[in-house]
Amino acid sequence: MLKTVAVVLFDDVALFEFGVLAEVFGIDRVDDGVPKFDFRVCGLEAGKPLSARNGTVVIPPYGLEALVGADLVAVPATRIRDYPPEILEALRQAAAGGAMVLSVCSGVFVLGAAGLLDGRRCTAHWHDVEQLAKRFPQAKINPDVLFVDDGDLITSAGTAAGIDACLHLVRRELGSAVATRIARRMVVPPQRDGGQKQYVDLPVPECSAESLTPVLTWMLENITVDHPVSSLARRAAMSERTFARRFVAETGTTPHKWLSMQRVLHARTLLEQTDLAIESVATRSGFGTAALLRHHFRRVVGVAPADYRRRFASA
């Protein structure tokens, strides 16, 4: 059973991410049918003020000894990458003692520094994935999801994904009814669909040289037209083999994959900025049919075009 929750804080407290943990586990909702958690806010020293990012000070009432016996130990986000050794050791001991461990956003770096990610499935904010992989090469990182449940280790992506991870853990340990009651009071979905791909900025890939720029520009200007390598090579005045090799060298991918990505990006813009029917978006972005658009859009963005429009349309 999930009864005792200990949150570990140190300087550079991320208030929103800490607030997510406090909102899910630290509020008495017994009147709503939610079991009351023993919520412990812990620091290196009990009562020692910790700085937050906006000049606010947080004073944890507990020291690290309060991690002992906790069912869940949670770490919010932090920009710091060097951590007090006492905190890392306390996390290791808590995990070894059977506690579940959860991180919100960049709090996953703290878990990695404690050695808790080695050989484990995890995730992070899309902006931090590359750095996380470099620092902890033994971690098995899934960059596309909102959170990863690896049993006694739960990691979440960006800030709001911490809400998803916390509610998921409540659902797993205490049932859907309890998780839904908490979500209703927070006015958030009990469970979001899709992954974090839908929130990632996908810029148009840039080539590293000038030679293919006219061809790439022409492809974008004629995005609804199919472009076999043979015709592209003729336009670039190259042999097919030379063109294919040069294209990969300059864009990092093949002509087919590059054009497919540009079509998805164009469709995304149309979904955000127009009220065109999905079939029209498919036609104008070069996919031809709504079915083909949905297939490629979901693969790249992680959700269906209609779901994406509901969340991100500008009007």
Side-chain angles (χ1 to χ4, degrees):
M1 291 292 291
L2 178 59
K3 295 181 179 179
T4 304
V5 179
V7 178
V8 180
L9 300 181
F10 41 89
D11 278 325
D12 187 53
V13 177
L15 292 176
F16 187 96
E17 288 81 351
F18 169 52
V20 166
L21 297 167
E23 181 73 22
V24 175
F25 301 110
I27 295 179
D28 186 345
R29 293 193 172 96
V30 172
D31 290 343
D32 293 325
V34 177
K36 184 177 180 179
F37 299 103
D38 177 4
F39 187 68
R40 307 171 182 176
V41 180
C42 310
L44 193 59
E45 298 178 28
K48 181 179 180 180
L50 300 173
S51 61
R53 295 181 182 180
N54 63 352
T56 303
V57 172
V58 178
I59 303 176
Y62 294 93
L64 296 178
E65 68 280 354
L67 272 65
V68 177
D71 302 309
L72 172 67
V73 175
V75 182
T78 176
R79 294 174 297 188
I80 294 174
R81 293 295 180 262
D82 292 315
Y83 316 106
E86 298 90 340
I87 285 180
L88 300 181
E89 180 59 27
L91 288 171
R92 284 190 287 266
Q93 290 184 8
M100 296 175 286
V101 182
L102 180 147
S103 66
V104 179
C105 196
S106 55
V108 69
F109 284 89
V110 186
L111 304 189
L116 301 181
L117 299 183
D118 293 350
R120 303 297 298 271
R121 296 186 302 113
C122 61
T123 193
H125 190 290
W126 59 267
H127 187 269
D128 295 328
V129 164
E130 184 176 349
Q131 183 186 8
L132 186 70
K134 288 181 178 179
R135 291 198 60 172
F136 309 110
Q138 296 185 54
K140 301 177 180 178
I141 305 169
N142 184 339
D144 299 330
V145 294
L146 295 175
F147 62 86
V148 169
D149 179 345
D150 197 37
D152 57 0
L153 176 71
I154 297 177
T155 53
S156 63
T159 298
I163 299 174
D164 299 292
C166 291
L167 291 176
H168 166 78
L169 180 60
V170 170
R171 185 181 307 108
R172 191 187 80 180
E173 296 296 316
L174 302 176
S176 296
V178 174
T180 300
R181 291 185 188 113
I182 295 175
R184 185 178 296 119
R185 287 297 300 269
M186 293 176 65
V187 197
V188 297
Q191 185 171 356
R192 284 193 295 169
D193 59 343
Q196 60 174 321
K197 281 183 178 181
Q198 59 192 302
Y199 305 102
V200 177
D201 183 21
L202 298 173
V204 175
E206 297 180 357
C207 59
S208 58
E210 293 293 331
S211 58
L212 292 184
T213 298
V215 176
L216 297 177
T217 301
W218 184 82
M219 291 172 70
L220 289 175
E221 291 173 349
N222 297 272
I223 200 168
T224 61
V225 179
D226 288 330
H227 301 288
V229 172
S230 57
S231 66
L232 295 173
R234 284 194 300 271
R235 178 169 291 274
M238 299 177 185
S239 69
E240 291 185 30
R241 178 175 296 182
T242 299
F243 175 81
R245 184 172 60 250
R246 183 72 62 81
F247 198 98
V248 172
E250 294 191 10
T251 68
T253 189
T254 65
H256 175 76
K257 291 181 179 178
W258 188 88
L259 182 60
S260 179
M261 175 62 78
Q262 304 319 304
R263 286 172 170 170
V264 169
L265 293 173
H266 187 54
R268 192 173 72 165
T269 299
L270 293 175
L271 291 168
E272 291 175 357
Q273 300 179 5
T274 76
D275 57 359
L276 291 169
I278 298 298
E279 285 285 355
S280 297
V281 171
T283 300
R284 294 196 183 191
S285 57
F287 287 113
T289 67
L292 199 57
L293 168 63
R294 282 191 288 267
H295 169 76
H296 288 279
F297 198 90
R298 183 180 287 277
R299 177 178 58 81
V300 173
V301 182
V303 294
D307 293 333
Y308 182 86
R309 168 173 274 168
R310 279 194 292 270
R311 295 171 188 175
F312 297 100
S314 58

